[in-house]
Amino acid sequence: MLAKTLLLAGGIATTLACAHLPRGENPNNSTMFPRIEAGSDAPADAATLGYSLNHFSLNVKNISRSIDWYSSVLGLRLIFNFRATDKLSIAYMAHSHGGKNGTGYQTVRELNRQKNNLEGLLELVHYDNPKGDLVPSTVRANTFSHYGLIVPDVPAAQARFERLGVNILKKAGVSNDLKGPIAEAFGLGDVFERDSEEAKRIEQALLATGGLDFVIIADPDGNLIEVQSLFTPQFEF
Ligand SMILES: *[C@@H]1O[C@H](CO)[C@@H](O)[C@H](O)[C@H]1NC(C)=O
Ligand SMILES: *[C@@H]1O[C@H](CO)[C@@H](O)[C@H](O)[C@H]1NC(C)=O
Ligand SMILES: *[C@@H]1O[C@H](CO)[C@@H](O)[C@H](O)[C@H]1NC(C)=O
Ligand SMILES: *[C@@H]1O[C@H](CO)[C@@H](O)[C@H](O)[C@H]1NC(C)=O
C-alpha cells in the first residue's frame, strides 16, 4: 500500500516536474525572469564539516499555548520546558516520527539525548515582559519570514488543519490572494495594491516554484508556516 502510494506520488511528481518553469528557454539567460541561478558544486570549507542547522527559535507570547499548538497541530513533541526564572521559559520541541530508525517513536529521554544530533528542532522562548510587544512577520515584515513543513499528503494535512480550526492563510490549489499577511511575511509589502504589473510577475514566478500547491498557515503568534509536499517538484537545471 505504501509502495503503491509512493509510486503514484512519484508519477505525479514526474508529470509536474516539467510543468513549472517556462520550457524551451535557456535557464542560463541572465536577462530573463524568472530564471534559476544554480548553486555551485564547489565543496564547503572543510573546516565546517559536521556543521548542521539544528534548531530555530520563536519568541512566543504564551508558551503553554504554543507548546499545545505545536504538539497537537504539527506533531512536535516537547523535549523539555526549561523554567529559567519565574518569568523566562525556554522550551525545545522536535518531531520524533520515524526517529532515525523508522520505528516512529523515541522516549523523551532518548529525544533529549539525541537533541544535538537532530535537525529541525523548534525552540520556544517566552519572557514575561509587560512592555514586550511581539510583532509577527505576517503583521509587520521582519527578518524572519517563515519556515517550511514537509508533509507526505498535503490535502490530508489541510483537511486536518480545517478540523482543528487552524488559521489557514492559503489553501492548496488557490493562487489568488497573496495580499495581506502572506505578502507581509515575504517582505513584499503592499506591492499587490500598488503595482499590478509587478504583482502579476511575482505571482507567475511563484507559481513556477510549485507554490500553488502549498498550504500556508499561521501559528498562534501569527508566524507563517509553509506546508509543502514531500513530492513537490524540483527545479530542473
Ligand atoms: C547553462 O550553463 C551551464 C554551466 O555553464 C552549462 O553546463 C549548461 O549546458 C548551460 N545550459 C544551457 C541550456 O545552455
Ligand atoms: C534571453 O531572454 C531575453 C528576454 O526574454 C530574450 O529576448 C533573448 O532572446 C534571450 N536570449 C537567449 C540567448 O536565449
Ligand atoms: C496561555 O495559554 C493557555 C493554554 O492555551 C491558557 O490556558 C492560558 O489562559 C493562557 N495564559 C494567558 C496569560 O493568556
Ligand atoms: C529504534 O530507536 C528506538 C529509540 O531510540 C530504540 O528504542 C529502538 O531499540 C531502536 N530500534 C532499532 C531496531 O534499532
Side-chain angles (χ1 to χ4, degrees), residues 4 44 56 91 97 117 149 166 173-174 187 189 234 237:
K4 201 174 159 197
F56 67 93
H97 301 358
N117 191 30
L149 178 79
V166 170
V174 178
Q234 312 297 314
F237 54 78

Side-chain angles (χ1 to χ4, degrees), residues 101 103 105-106 110:
N101 68 9
T103 59
Y105 180 75
Q106 290 130 310
E110 286 165 338

Side-chain angles (χ1 to χ4, degrees), residues 62 64-65 68:
N62 177 333
S64 325
R65 179 178 70 164
D68 286 352

Side-chain angles (χ1 to χ4, degrees), residues 145-223:
S145 170
H146 69 281
Y147 61 89
L149 178 79
I150 297 295
V151 301
D153 183 336
V154 171
Q158 178 175 298
R160 188 168 169 278
F161 296 148
E162 284 174 320
R163 276 199 308 280
L164 294 172
V166 170
N167 181 10
I168 301 179
L169 303 178
K170 177 193 152 336
K171 293 188 180 178
V174 178
S175 75
N176 62 347
D177 216 352
L178 296 177
K179 286 193 224 37
I182 298 177
E184 196 63 31
F186 278 82
L188 301 171
D190 61 355
V191 66
F192 292 99
E193 288 83 12
R194 198 167 36 72
D195 184 344
S196 60
E197 285 303 306
E198 174 69 355
K200 201 182 300 167
R201 285 191 289 270
I202 290 173
E203 267 180 342
Q204 308 232 305
L206 293 184
L207 286 181
T209 69
L212 181 64
D213 302 323
F214 301 171
V215 178
I216 298 183
I217 61 175
D219 81 356
D221 290 295
N223 294 298

Side-chain angles (χ1 to χ4, degrees), residues 25-26 29-33:
E25 282 159 341
N26 184 345
N29 183 341
S30 67
T31 66
M32 193 181 82
F33 294 99

Side-chain angles (χ1 to χ4, degrees), residues 96-169:
S96 65
H97 301 358
K100 289 277 179 188
N101 68 9
T103 59
Y105 180 75
Q106 290 130 310
T107 65
V108 80
R109 280 194 170 71
E110 286 165 338
L111 270 181
N112 185 48
R113 197 158 61 229
Q114 288 298 315
K115 177 178 151 291
N116 288 15
N117 191 30
L118 297 172
E119 292 174 1
L121 277 71
L122 175 66
E123 178 184 344
L124 301 172
V125 179
H126 171 72
Y127 185 63
D128 189 5
N129 176 3
K131 279 196 276 182
D133 185 20
L134 300 174
V135 182
S137 60
T138 49
V139 172
R140 194 172 69 221
N142 60 63
T143 55
F144 174 78
S145 170
H146 69 281
Y147 61 89
L149 178 79
I150 297 295
V151 301
D153 183 336
V154 171
Q158 178 175 298
R160 188 168 169 278
F161 296 148
E162 284 174 320
R163 276 199 308 280
L164 294 172
V166 170
N167 181 10
I168 301 179
L169 303 178

